[in-house]
Amino acid sequence: MMSPLMLRGLWAYRGFVLGSVKREFQSKYSNAVLGALWSLLSPLAMIVVYTVIFAEVMHSKLPGAAADAHYAYSIWLCAGVLTWGLFAEIVARAQGMFIEQANLIKKVSFPRICLPLIVVLSATLNFAIIFGLFTVFLVASGAFPGWIYFSILPVLVVQVLLAIGLGMIAGVLNVFFRDVGQFVTIAMQFWFWLTPIVYPATILPADVRGLLGFNPMARVIGAYQAVLVQGAAPDWRSLFPVFVLAVVSCLFGLRLFRRRAGEMVDEL
């Protein structure tokens, strides 16, 4: 995926990458009274609202969940909202990373491929904090699925690869066509609601439900929900096309980046 030259560049500038991630984290929460807890409030507020509306008002029922599983919908919702948040954050930040770091790119000589890595590490750090607390809730509520929980790690890798692949493509294009950033923002909003995150796929008509197979994030989110709600292993056969798409996206994004890197500096 990466040339040996790129890998050597990343290793040589590992201090720059890790330092950038640390500075981003510190600057984000250094002057906040609640600190890193603010990163929890937005997804937590969304989960509370959706849980009240869908679980209590609409009395949503989840297929595969035990009848006495009081937290089934909340866990199902967290599995979707939190992991979608990671995907959306990587795509959103990656599509604007070259423009936001224009001054740094022009003035400092460093491997530009460091920027996508910084985006991934920073977003993953935020996600680890949120999902770690969610895991504590699973254990405390007696809903922890056991060893099958760790099968979400390969799913997470596929999701991150897909996010940074799409983000890099959008990021390069956004340098030359600034409308791309606006399009990506709107497209992500539609994509969220076209993915069974706050509603189960079973409520959709059969013909519409069949179209979910063309939505890679529906398969990824479904894998998380299967593990965390039902304690079942992900459907690896269903995830394989998503993995292929993720790898192709990364390869294409890297190729596009390498071919347009010089032009990007002039455009910025």
Side-chain angles (χ1 to χ4, degrees), residues 8 46 50 76 86 88 110 122 152-153 176 178 182 215 220-221 232 240:
R8 284 197 297 269
M46 183 183 298
Y50 287 161
W76 186 86
L86 172 65
F110 69 98
S122 181
I152 66 176
L153 293 177
F176 302 98
R178 300 303 169 93
Q182 303 298 326
N215 181 351
V220 171
I221 297 296
F240 182 73

Side-chain angles (χ1 to χ4, degrees), residues 83 127 131 135 138 144-159 219-237 239:
T83 52
F127 175 75
F131 209 78
T135 302
L138 292 178
F144 188 75
W147 288 106
I148 198 67
Y149 169 88
F150 296 99
S151 65
I152 66 176
L153 293 177
V155 182
L156 178 63
V157 171
V158 172
Q159 176 185 357
R219 301 185 183 206
V220 171
I221 297 296
Y224 285 112
Q225 292 168 337
V227 172
L228 297 173
V229 177
Q230 303 170 13
D235 184 352
W236 301 115
R237 182 178 298 180
L239 285 173

Side-chain angles (χ1 to χ4, degrees), residues 64-170:
D68 59 346
H70 300 293
Y71 300 109
Y73 183 77
S74 297
I75 294 170
W76 186 86
L77 187 61
C78 286
V81 171
L82 299 183
T83 52
W84 174 269
L86 172 65
F87 176 76
E89 181 180 357
I90 293 176
V91 173
R93 291 195 56 195
Q95 61 90 14
M97 61 186 167
F98 299 118
I99 295 176
E100 292 174 2
Q101 301 296 334
N103 290 332
L104 183 65
I105 292 174
K106 291 178 180 180
K107 297 178 181 179
V108 181
S109 177
F110 69 98
R112 308 297 188 251
I113 198 64
C114 289
L115 296 179
L117 183 58
I118 293 171
V119 167
V120 169
L121 292 179
S122 181
T124 304
L125 176 60
N126 294 332
F127 175 75
I129 295 172
I130 299 173
F131 209 78
L133 292 177
F134 173 54
T135 302
V136 171
F137 165 75
L138 292 178
V139 175
S141 64
F144 188 75
W147 288 106
I148 198 67
Y149 169 88
F150 296 99
S151 65
I152 66 176
L153 293 177
V155 182
L156 178 63
V157 171
V158 172
Q159 176 185 357
V160 170
L161 285 176
L162 178 63
I164 196 58
L166 296 177
M168 284 186 62
I169 295 171

Side-chain angles (χ1 to χ4, degrees), residues 241-255:
V242 184
F243 172 71
V244 173
L245 176 62
V247 172
V248 170
S249 298
C250 286
L251 289 174
F252 182 75
L254 284 171
R255 181 177 176 83

Side-chain angles (χ1 to χ4, degrees), residues 7-28:
L7 292 175
R8 284 197 297 269
L10 286 175
W11 178 252
Y13 281 80
R14 62 190 182 279
F16 168 73
V17 171
L18 296 177
S20 297
V21 173
K22 181 180 179 180
R23 283 191 299 272
E24 280 192 16
F25 185 82
Q26 290 177 336
S27 64
K28 189 174 183 181

